[in-house]
Amino acid sequence: MRTVSIPGDWPTTEAQARTIQDELRSRVVLDEPGPAPGTGHVTGVDVAYDDERDLVAAAAVVLDAATLEVVEEATAVGRVSFPYVPGLLAFREIPTVLAALDSLRADPGTVVCDGYGRAHPRRFGLASHLGVLTGLPSIGVAKNPFTFSYEEPGTPRGSFSPLVEGDEEVGRALRTQDGVKPVFVSVGHRVSLDNACAHTLRLTPRYRLPESTRRADALCRRALREATVRGLPE
DNA sequence: GCGACAG
DNA sequence: ATCTTGTCGC
């Protein structure tokens, strides 16, 4: 497990963080379809917190996109780098997630985030931010619609409806299991919305949430427990 | 001004 | 996210 510190130039205020989002947003690539779903690698990333001890643990789990078998795992722990503010989640998660991704030997392929990409107040959620910083194709799969609205998709798995703000489509509410609450898919970087949904469906043969995020969730919690016991150096 | 609000 | 018991179901 790698240990990371907060970058020296990390934003301190919400205003600074929003300015960074506004600057980086222009680097998002939206006109690439991305890797064909079911080929290559897919990497789930997730983060767990211990606010008491000011600790954050991240995990990156690389899966074979065809078989969903684990190819490689990596974790990192550090100090919490930003408070939770809706719309600024990325500043809380990114340093540790990047460290976990960096310590991977395998090609991450497409990165699947637990949160949003384009479905964001400034169209630059965690998945977009991570995509721009790494250059990797990325998508966001969130458990909640946040401030966006949607019509209930049909009951069968695979049904979807647009996730909208006003008349702008920012993502999709996608049913990944029959009759189960949909997940909210949005594009991060270098992946089309159609392919983002296709990836999500391939990653959900059995459960509501993608195998990638389920694996990453379990792993970062384990990493947090170990870090809590051992503590962080210095 | 008040409430809502990814994780 | 995290705090938390039991409970229903495969």
Side-chain angles (χ1 to χ4, degrees):
Chain A
M1 184 193 309
R2 172 174 294 195
T3 299
V4 293
S5 48
I6 301 170
D9 58 351
W10 207 242
T12 302
T13 66
E14 298 182 22
Q16 288 170 359
R18 281 188 215 99
T19 299
I20 292 172
Q21 290 181 328
D22 288 334
E23 289 168 355
L24 292 180
R25 185 178 46 235
S26 63
R27 309 228 289 251
V28 174
V29 173
L30 295 172
D31 60 1
E32 287 181 27
T39 68
H41 290 166
V42 163
T43 295
V45 294
D46 195 18
V47 166
Y49 301 98
D50 182 343
D51 287 303
E52 276 298 270
R53 299 171 202 274
D54 191 38
L55 286 179
V56 51
V61 180
V62 183
L63 303 183
D64 181 300
T67 64
L68 304 189
E69 280 166 11
V70 176
V71 172
E72 191 183 353
E73 301 179 325
T75 60
V77 291
R79 251 91 210 202
V80 173
S81 54
F82 208 82
Y84 172 65
V85 179
L88 301 178
L89 177 66
F91 295 94
R92 189 166 166 76
E93 311 210 328
I94 274 189
T96 325
V97 169
L98 275 183
L101 280 174
D102 281 348
S103 55
L104 249 24
R105 290 189 311 151
D107 170 17
T110 301
V111 178
V112 179
C113 298
D114 189 10
Y116 289 130
R118 227 173 80 77
H120 177 273
R122 286 168 296 283
R123 305 294 178 266
F124 195 73
L126 172 63
S128 321
H129 202 143
L130 207 49
V132 164
L133 259 39
T134 61
L136 297 168
S138 65
I139 69 174
V141 181
K143 298 182 281 296
N144 296 291
F146 200 10
T147 60
F148 303 101
S149 42
Y150 66 101
E151 305 280 295
E152 201 61 34
T155 303
R157 160 179 155 85
S159 307
F160 64 88
S161 57
L163 183 66
V164 298
E165 178 172 300
D167 51 14
E168 181 182 0
E169 179 181 46
V170 296
R172 283 177 190 161
L174 176 66
R175 191 90 68 189
T176 56
Q177 296 297 322
D178 293 355
V180 168
K181 174 180 175 171
V183 297
F184 303 90
V185 179
S186 59
V187 161
H189 183 57
R190 302 178 56 200
V191 180
S192 67
L193 185 53
D194 278 345
N195 274 341
C197 290
H199 277 114
T200 303
L201 284 173
R202 299 200 70 117
L203 288 165
T204 51
R206 161 125 187 139
Y207 299 104
R208 173 182 177 235
L209 297 180
E211 282 306 308
S212 42
T213 62
R214 299 183 73 250
R215 289 305 229 303
D217 179 74
L219 182 56
C220 69
R221 289 188 200 224
R222 199 191 319 156
L224 183 63
R225 284 200 306 272
E226 291 167 10
T228 302
V229 171
R230 292 198 345 243
L232 234 46
E234 170 268 6

Tab-separated table of all heavy atoms in Angstrom, chain A residues 84 87 143-144 146, chain B residues 3-7:
chain	number	residue	atom	x	y	z
A	84	TYR	N	-15.935	17.513	2.081
A	84	TYR	CA	-16.943	17.137	1.095
A	84	TYR	C	-17.842	18.340	0.810
A	84	TYR	O	-18.535	18.847	1.685
A	84	TYR	CB	-17.810	15.965	1.558
A	84	TYR	CG	-18.961	15.735	0.600
A	84	TYR	CD1	-18.700	15.325	-0.696
A	84	TYR	CD2	-20.271	15.994	0.973
A	84	TYR	CE1	-19.727	15.165	-1.615
A	84	TYR	CE2	-21.316	15.826	0.062
A	84	TYR	CZ	-21.034	15.420	-1.226
A	84	TYR	OH	-22.055	15.263	-2.129
A	87	GLY	N	-20.317	18.855	-5.712
A	87	GLY	CA	-19.768	19.533	-6.878
A	87	GLY	C	-18.245	19.609	-6.847
A	87	GLY	O	-17.611	19.894	-7.854
A	143	LYS	N	-24.744	6.318	-7.818
A	143	LYS	CA	-25.879	5.629	-7.204
A	143	LYS	C	-27.081	6.549	-7.053
A	143	LYS	O	-28.191	6.080	-6.806
A	143	LYS	CB	-25.460	5.084	-5.831
A	143	LYS	CG	-24.327	4.063	-5.907
A	143	LYS	CD	-23.964	3.491	-4.549
A	143	LYS	CE	-23.095	4.421	-3.722
A	143	LYS	NZ	-21.761	4.676	-4.325
A	144	ASN	N	-26.848	7.862	-7.167
A	144	ASN	CA	-27.937	8.828	-6.979
A	144	ASN	C	-27.955	9.854	-8.108
A	144	ASN	O	-26.928	10.157	-8.699
A	144	ASN	CB	-27.774	9.548	-5.637
A	144	ASN	CG	-27.907	8.581	-4.480
A	144	ASN	OD1	-28.967	8.053	-4.208
A	144	ASN	ND2	-26.789	8.338	-3.821
A	146	PHE	N	-28.395	13.015	-7.862
A	146	PHE	CA	-27.906	14.338	-7.471
A	146	PHE	C	-29.003	15.374	-7.722
A	146	PHE	O	-30.137	15.163	-7.289
A	146	PHE	CB	-26.644	14.654	-8.272
A	146	PHE	CG	-25.776	15.726	-7.654
A	146	PHE	CD1	-26.006	16.210	-6.366
A	146	PHE	CD2	-24.716	16.258	-8.358
A	146	PHE	CE1	-25.201	17.197	-5.810
A	146	PHE	CE2	-23.898	17.250	-7.812
A	146	PHE	CZ	-24.149	17.709	-6.545
B	3	DG	P	-33.837	25.781	5.769
B	3	DG	OP1	-34.518	25.158	6.922
B	3	DG	OP2	-32.406	26.146	5.843
B	3	DG	O5'	-34.034	24.818	4.513
B	3	DG	C5'	-35.341	24.621	3.976
B	3	DG	C4'	-35.264	23.719	2.770
B	3	DG	O4'	-34.652	24.427	1.665
B	3	DG	C3'	-34.418	22.454	2.967
B	3	DG	O3'	-35.029	21.380	2.273
B	3	DG	C2'	-33.074	22.833	2.369
B	3	DG	C1'	-33.506	23.725	1.217
B	3	DG	N9	-32.518	24.717	0.816
B	3	DG	C8	-31.766	25.517	1.632
B	3	DG	N7	-30.975	26.329	0.974
B	3	DG	C5	-31.217	26.032	-0.352
B	3	DG	C6	-30.657	26.580	-1.530
B	3	DG	O6	-29.810	27.472	-1.642
B	3	DG	N1	-31.185	25.979	-2.670
B	3	DG	C2	-32.124	24.996	-2.679
B	3	DG	N2	-32.506	24.537	-3.869
B	3	DG	N3	-32.663	24.472	-1.581
B	3	DG	C4	-32.162	25.038	-0.466
B	4	DA	P	-34.422	19.873	2.485
B	4	DA	OP1	-35.555	19.102	3.005
B	4	DA	OP2	-33.145	19.958	3.222
B	4	DA	O5'	-34.102	19.350	1.015
B	4	DA	C5'	-33.992	20.278	-0.060
B	4	DA	C4'	-33.349	19.611	-1.258
B	4	DA	O4'	-32.500	20.590	-1.879
B	4	DA	C3'	-32.419	18.420	-0.953
B	4	DA	O3'	-32.426	17.501	-2.034
B	4	DA	C2'	-31.070	19.080	-0.771
B	4	DA	C1'	-31.135	20.236	-1.760
B	4	DA	N9	-30.400	21.408	-1.288
B	4	DA	C8	-30.283	21.864	-0.001
B	4	DA	N7	-29.534	22.937	0.124
B	4	DA	C5	-29.137	23.206	-1.186
B	4	DA	C6	-28.332	24.206	-1.744
B	4	DA	N6	-27.759	25.165	-1.028
B	4	DA	N1	-28.144	24.179	-3.078
B	4	DA	C2	-28.726	23.216	-3.799
B	4	DA	N3	-29.501	22.212	-3.392
B	4	DA	C4	-29.668	22.276	-2.059
B	5	DC	P	-31.673	16.066	-1.805
B	5	DC	OP1	-32.250	15.126	-2.780
B	5	DC	OP2	-31.691	15.756	-0.361
B	5	DC	O5'	-30.163	16.343	-2.222
B	5	DC	C5'	-29.863	16.595	-3.572
B	5	DC	C4'	-28.390	16.912	-3.709
B	5	DC	O4'	-28.131	18.260	-3.257
B	5	DC	C3'	-27.486	15.996	-2.865
B	5	DC	O3'	-26.451	15.451	-3.667
B	5	DC	C2'	-26.903	16.919	-1.809
B	5	DC	C1'	-26.929	18.251	-2.525
B	5	DC	N1	-26.907	19.437	-1.619
B	5	DC	C2	-26.438	20.657	-2.086
B	5	DC	O2	-26.108	20.756	-3.257
B	5	DC	N3	-26.344	21.698	-1.222
B	5	DC	C4	-26.722	21.549	0.047
B	5	DC	N4	-26.607	22.598	0.861
B	5	DC	C5	-27.229	20.311	0.529
B	5	DC	C6	-27.307	19.294	-0.328
B	6	DA	P	-25.771	14.090	-3.166
B	6	DA	OP1	-26.887	13.135	-3.011
B	6	DA	OP2	-24.898	14.392	-2.032
B	6	DA	O5'	-24.847	13.618	-4.366
B	6	DA	C5'	-25.409	12.823	-5.399
B	6	DA	C4'	-24.317	12.044	-6.064
B	6	DA	O4'	-23.376	12.938	-6.692
B	6	DA	C3'	-23.492	11.186	-5.111
B	6	DA	O3'	-23.172	9.973	-5.770
B	6	DA	C2'	-22.237	12.009	-4.904
B	6	DA	C1'	-22.069	12.574	-6.300
B	6	DA	N9	-21.200	13.736	-6.391
B	6	DA	C8	-21.111	14.813	-5.556
B	6	DA	N7	-20.226	15.704	-5.942
B	6	DA	C5	-19.696	15.161	-7.113
B	6	DA	C6	-18.716	15.607	-8.008
B	6	DA	N6	-18.064	16.766	-7.865
B	6	DA	N1	-18.424	14.816	-9.063
B	6	DA	C2	-19.087	13.659	-9.206
B	6	DA	N3	-20.035	13.143	-8.430
B	6	DA	C4	-20.291	13.950	-7.398
B	7	DG	P	-23.061	8.671	-4.961
B	7	DG	OP1	-22.966	7.594	-5.951
B	7	DG	OP2	-24.136	8.676	-3.962
B	7	DG	O5'	-21.675	8.790	-4.194
B	7	DG	C5'	-20.480	8.834	-4.937
B	7	DG	C4'	-19.287	9.130	-4.011
B	7	DG	O4'	-19.423	10.465	-3.453
B	7	DG	C3'	-19.189	8.172	-2.842
B	7	DG	O3'	-17.981	7.427	-2.905
B	7	DG	C2'	-19.194	9.006	-1.588
B	7	DG	C1'	-19.147	10.433	-2.058
B	7	DG	N9	-20.225	11.129	-1.391
B	7	DG	C8	-21.517	11.256	-1.815
B	7	DG	N7	-22.289	11.846	-0.943
B	7	DG	C5	-21.455	12.130	0.119
B	7	DG	C6	-21.735	12.758	1.373
B	7	DG	O6	-22.829	13.180	1.772
B	7	DG	N1	-20.602	12.843	2.163
B	7	DG	C2	-19.355	12.403	1.810
B	7	DG	N2	-18.393	12.578	2.702
B	7	DG	N3	-19.086	11.820	0.646
B	7	DG	C4	-20.168	11.707	-0.140
